[in-house]
């Protein structure tokens, strides 16, 4: 089997971790290609719940290679903590490989992230993991990469140089300077742990592809957090759409077969930025409570709203999604009526695509279509035919509006609550 890519089609938190866990049944390798530990991919196996931030979600399947690709930004201390935690719970991390080209995140990036947010007129509501500053250093060509973990003397010089530069910024802004010696001691310990995992993951990925093995690229965040196509500036700093898999994993677009889009049956967003279908009423609270919509990384309550088909259609177009995995359908079980946003109204103009400016998107009001709910539990359904008729109609309508095909439906957090459409 060639290569499949799986991405989020909304603002992240669509349930990608679970889907990837299900799809990895037949997979030989899973590759993370962008983002960092701002992601929180939740996987439930039996009565055990795991939240992965950097380690690919294939880790629970024996023998599946798990690559952290060149496009990821990696906090080495956070990665070691995550790997040690997995090992302490009996999960082997022997199959993890960390790209020698992935950029590293240090304490100074996190502090710069917080400093920017504290002083910003337009707060982004970042996860505070130093993602933006690390990608900024990458683009400015002053970043430190995975390959340096193997050359500690060289890495120490680079680290001290960058830490001193950031300390000037901190002091100038009235923030306490970092103790560089203390920080280096921690970084060095993490580096020593990680050394044996550092590899040229581009070569590993391409060797697997050439050998005809099954490879899955695991996207993090979602289409509207994409640095180019998202609700800029309220976005993350990486390419979250399917094209990012090629750049961030070092593979050719020619090798990609299916592109999976994970789409929640309603919409959520964490952090700041426009969200046309956001609900501030009892329906929004129901979605949050029933859906357990609290951030896996930061614990923040997520903003909740109805399904936005304008956004869905746009992200299916951006990523070329030919297979949709609709998640959390069961969260809609108790609604008498359900609304679907089919277009936006911007000052009397009907929009069918996402506008570029956040001012326009904030001013746009959703045009809704109301459909009847199904008012019963879907949690035990294991096929489309076992779903209530109105739930089947809802799925068909979503697929039609976003111009793609439903291939998988998920009706609960467990592995077994997922079925092929
Ligand atoms: P950053 O990625 O920490 O810089 O945060 C930028 C924006 O992306 C903020 O609105 C975050 O809440 C959002 N974000 C980042 N990662 C995730 C994620 O995994 N799920 C949902 N939102 C995210």
């Amino acid at each position: 089997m060639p290569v499949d890519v799986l991405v989020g089609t909304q603002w992240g938190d669509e349930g990608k971790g679970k889907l990837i866990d299900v799809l990895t049944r037949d997979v030989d390798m899973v590759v993370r290609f962008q983002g960092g530990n701002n992601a929180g991919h939740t996987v439930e196996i039996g009565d055990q719940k795991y939240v992965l931030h950097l380690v690919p979600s294939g880790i629970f399947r024996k023998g599946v290679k798990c690559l952290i690709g060149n496009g990821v930004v990696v906090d080495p201390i956070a990665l070691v903590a995550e790997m040690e935690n997995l090992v302490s719970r009996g999960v082997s991390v022997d199959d993890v490989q960390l790209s020698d080209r992935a950029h590293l995140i240090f304490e100074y990036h996190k502090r710069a992230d917080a400093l920017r947010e504290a002083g910003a007129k337009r707060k982004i509501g970042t996860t505070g993991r130093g993602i933006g500053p690390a990608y900024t250093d990458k683009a400015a060509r002053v970043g430190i990469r995975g390959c340096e973990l193997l050359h500690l003397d060289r890495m120490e010089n680079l680290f001290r140089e960058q830490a001193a530069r950031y300390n000037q910024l901190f002091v100038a802004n009235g923030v306490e300077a970092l103790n560089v010696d203390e920080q280096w001691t921690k970084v060095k310990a993490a580096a020593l742990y990680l050394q044996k995992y550092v590899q040229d993951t581009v070569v590993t990925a391409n060797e697997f592809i050439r050998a005809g093995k099954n490879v899955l690229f695991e996207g993090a965040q979602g289409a509207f957090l994409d640095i180019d196509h998202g609700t800029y500036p309220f976005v993350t700093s990486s390419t979250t759409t399917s094209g990012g898999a090629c750049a961030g994993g070092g593979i050719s677009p020619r090798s990609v077969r299916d592109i999976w889009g994970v789409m929640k049956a309603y919409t959520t967003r964490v952090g700041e930025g426009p969200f046309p279908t956001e609900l501030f009423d009892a329906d929004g609270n129901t979605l949050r409570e029933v859906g357990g919509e609290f951030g896996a990384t930061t614990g923040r309550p997520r903003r909740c709203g109805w399904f936005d088909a304008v956004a869905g259609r746009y992200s299916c177009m951006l990523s070329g999604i030919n297979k949709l995995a609709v998640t959390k359908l069961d969260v809609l079980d108790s609604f008498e009526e359900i609304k679907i946003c089919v277009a936006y109204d911007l000052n009397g103009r009907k929009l069918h695509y996402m506008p570029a400016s956040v001012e326009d998107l904030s001013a746009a009001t959703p045009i809704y279509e109301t459909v009847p709910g199904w008012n019963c539990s879907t949690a035990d359904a294991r096929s489309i035919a076992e779903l209530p008729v109105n739930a089947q109609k809802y799925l068909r309508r979503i697929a039609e509006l976003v111009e793609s095909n439903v291939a998988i439906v998920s009706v609960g957090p467990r592995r077994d609550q997922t079925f092929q459409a």
Side-chain angles (χ1 to χ4, degrees):
M1 180 185 102
V3 179
D4 286 355
V5 178
L6 181 143
V7 289
T9 59
Q10 294 156 321
W11 276 276
D13 309 316
E14 297 93 350
K16 293 179 292 293
K18 182 196 177 189
L19 250 293
I20 287 171
D21 176 60
V22 169
L23 290 177
T24 48
R25 232 175 267 149
D26 311 314
V27 151
D28 301 300
M29 172 185 280
V30 182
V31 187
R32 273 282 306 269
F33 57 89
Q34 48 70 229
N37 61 332
N38 48 350
H41 291 176
T42 307
V43 182
E44 288 188 29
I45 302 168
D47 59 355
Q48 294 289 307
K49 183 172 171 173
Y50 301 87
V51 182
L52 298 169
H53 300 284
L54 280 161
V55 174
S57 307
I59 198 71
F60 306 107
R61 307 263 182 204
K62 214 168 178 293
V64 172
K65 275 257 176 295
C66 288
L67 269 49
I68 302 173
N70 57 278
V72 181
V73 281
V74 179
D75 179 335
I77 295 172
L79 177 57
V80 171
E82 188 172 327
M83 290 168 76
E84 280 182 334
N85 181 264
L86 286 168
V87 171
S88 75
R89 296 176 70 182
V91 180
S92 165
V93 294
D94 291 350
D95 285 311
V96 170
Q97 286 192 10
L98 168 63
S99 167
D100 51 7
R101 288 169 174 81
H103 280 251
L104 302 177
I105 301 183
F106 302 106
E107 187 61 30
Y108 51 72
H109 292 121
K110 289 195 264 181
R111 204 171 279 201
D113 198 352
L115 179 64
R116 191 230 161 256
E117 284 283 272
K121 273 208 207 102
R122 274 218 286 209
K123 288 191 202 317
I124 293 169
T126 71
T127 59
R129 301 294 188 266
I131 305 296
Y135 277 118
T136 302
D137 279 359
K138 175 178 179 174
R141 292 153 293 183
V142 293
I144 302 175
R145 299 183 301 163
C147 52
E148 304 302 345
L149 294 167
L150 304 174
H151 303 280
L152 286 180
D153 289 348
R154 206 164 72 194
M155 181 168 173
E156 181 173 358
N157 287 336
L158 290 169
F159 178 82
R160 287 183 181 277
E161 210 175 280
Q162 291 307 314
R165 180 172 68 84
Y166 273 99
N167 269 345
Q168 283 177 3
L169 172 86
F170 298 147
V171 172
N173 284 279
V175 175
E176 199 191 333
L178 283 177
N179 180 329
V180 181
D181 291 328
E182 219 172 73
Q183 288 301 321
W184 172 248
T185 307
K186 290 184 189 168
V187 169
K188 189 175 168 187
L192 288 169
Y193 180 101
L194 291 174
Q195 280 176 340
K196 70 171 179 180
Y197 300 97
V198 176
Q199 295 286 339
D200 186 336
T201 53
V202 173
V203 171
T204 315
N206 282 284
E207 276 175 0
F208 267 58
I209 293 170
R210 266 202 299 269
K213 301 216 174 183
N214 303 338
V215 182
L216 183 68
F217 280 74
E218 170 179 12
Q221 290 86 46
F224 298 106
L225 293 171
D226 184 279
I227 184 78
D228 284 278
H229 304 290
T231 48
Y232 192 92
F234 302 102
V235 294
T236 190
S237 302
S238 63
T239 296
T240 60
T241 43
S242 63
C246 295
I251 59 148
S252 160
R254 271 196 294 131
S255 48
V256 179
R257 182 190 64 171
D258 288 329
I259 301 179
W260 288 86
V262 188
M263 196 170 259
K264 195 142 51 177
Y266 50 97
T267 313
T268 62
R269 171 164 206 173
V270 234
E272 303 303 317
F275 175 2
T277 63
E278 183 169 10
L279 292 168
F280 300 95
D281 57 7
D283 287 342
N285 288 338
T286 303
L287 291 173
R288 187 173 309 105
E289 294 304 325
V290 179
E293 297 294 355
F294 298 89
T297 298
T298 58
R300 291 181 288 180
R302 296 180 186 140
R303 300 157 64 194
C304 298
W306 296 121
F307 184 79
D308 184 341
V310 180
R313 183 165 53 243
Y314 202 74
S315 57
C316 284
M317 176 178 76
L318 281 172
S319 283
I321 287 156
N322 62 327
K323 290 190 169 176
L324 280 178
V326 178
T327 58
K328 292 192 148 183
L329 185 67
D330 55 302
V331 175
L332 298 177
D333 283 354
S334 66
F335 287 93
E336 292 283 334
E337 286 185 330
I338 299 168
K339 288 185 177 167
I340 303 173
C341 168
V342 292
Y344 301 145
D345 180 318
L346 180 64
N347 306 321
R349 227 164 20 105
K350 208 169 178 184
L351 301 185
H352 293 282
Y353 293 102
M354 297 282 279
S357 103
V358 286
E359 284 76 13
D360 283 352
L361 190 58
S362 303
T365 50
I367 299 173
Y368 284 120
E369 179 177 296
T370 302
V371 297
W374 42 93
N375 255 300
C376 61
S377 172
T378 53
D380 295 326
R382 293 296 175 268
S383 68
I384 290 277
E386 284 176 37
L387 285 173
V389 173
N390 284 348
Q392 296 182 28
K393 283 188 183 162
Y394 183 73
L395 289 175
R396 271 202 300 276
R397 184 66 183 135
I398 285 180
E400 182 180 54
L401 286 165
V402 304
E403 296 168 11
S404 193
N405 315 294
V406 177
I408 282 186
V409 179
S410 153
V411 290
R414 294 195 317 268
R415 254 183 189 172
D416 66 307
Q417 289 178 303
T418 306
F419 53 85
Q420 309 263 344

